[in-house]
Amino acid sequence: MRIMGVFLGALLLVTTAACHSTQVKIPTAPVGPNEKAMGPTEGVSVGMLLFGAIPINQNERFEKAYNQAVLKGGGTRLTDVTISERWWWGYVLNGYVFKVQGTAVANK
């Protein structure tokens, strides 16, 4: 029984792996005179690639994460935007977790 557990654990490690990207800061317009900073916020969206060819929520990941961050922060846009991505591989499914962080900005 113990050998089977070790074998299954080794199989899991061999068939799945994960990585993380470095954070990338995107230049944005500063807070304008008719706007106010609402505070830090973040949004996350997940996409998958089934069998290495069938995309699931791949094209909308950035837009969904950005919109989630804006709504969560109570603003209309973000400044000081930083993006990062984590991804993992499985036997039939690859996952991509996209994260957007920034400062929410709203009109006065």
Side-chain angles (χ1 to χ4, degrees):
M1 187 65 161
R2 184 170 184 206
I3 293 173
M4 184 63 139
V6 171
F7 175 74
L8 289 176
L11 183 64
L12 180 66
L13 287 174
V14 169
T15 60
T16 61
C19 292
H20 192 278
S21 71
T22 59
Q23 291 187 339
V24 176
K25 193 153 185 94
I26 298 175
T28 57
V31 178
N34 294 329
E35 296 177 318
K36 62 180 176 181
M38 302 296 288
T41 184
E42 69 179 31
V44 176
S45 183
V46 177
M48 294 178 225
L49 200 56
L50 184 62
F51 300 116
I54 303 169
I56 302 168
N57 194 33
Q58 282 287 65
N59 296 334
E60 304 88 17
R61 283 183 294 139
F62 178 80
E63 185 178 355
K64 285 183 177 182
Y66 183 88
N67 290 336
Q68 182 186 56
V70 169
L71 288 175
K72 192 188 283 186
T76 56
R77 69 180 184 96
L78 296 180
T79 62
D80 304 322
V81 177
T82 304
I83 61 171
S84 64
E85 187 174 45
R86 288 182 301 142
W87 54 96
W88 49 268
W89 296 277
Y91 186 68
V92 296
L93 188 68
N94 302 337
Y96 305 90
V97 181
F98 193 80
K99 184 176 185 179
V100 175
Q101 295 173 305
T103 303
V105 176
N107 296 327
K108 283 186 178 179

